[in-house]
Amino acid sequence: MFINISILSLTLGFFFANILSTIPAQTGEWNIMSGSIIVTLNEIINKFIYKKKYTDKFIIFKLINNIKIGVIYGLFVDAFKLGS
């Protein structure tokens, strides 16, 4: 059951990445702000997840980490789409 939830959280992160990369880019002036917000949130999540020693006990930390990984993966895929 945990594998299904992990895959669902990865795809949810991928969906969030598509939202984060398309909506602010409509005006063209929000690219730097949205990029800095995404990097800041990523680093804050990393600080809380990898600092604690009891992260293996709670499933919510694993799901948040999977969503974060999905967002990063989705942004890489969007960057490759723009580069081609």
Side-chain angles (χ1 to χ4, degrees), residues 14-68:
F14 187 77
F15 179 69
F16 284 154
N18 287 329
I19 291 172
L20 291 172
S21 67
T22 56
I23 291 176
Q26 293 293 323
T27 59
E29 56 200 33
W30 284 94
N31 291 333
I32 297 172
M33 288 300 294
S34 63
S36 63
I37 290 170
I38 292 169
V39 168
T40 304
L41 288 176
N42 187 15
E43 291 298 322
I44 290 171
I45 291 170
N46 283 339
K47 179 182 175 184
F48 285 122
I49 288 177
Y50 295 117
K51 181 180 178 183
K52 305 287 183 187
K53 293 187 167 115
Y54 55 88
T55 56
D56 293 334
K57 295 180 184 176
F58 299 109
I59 194 169
I60 190 73
F61 290 129
K62 292 180 183 179
L63 294 178
I64 290 172
N65 194 25
N66 285 338
I67 290 172
K68 179 187 64 93

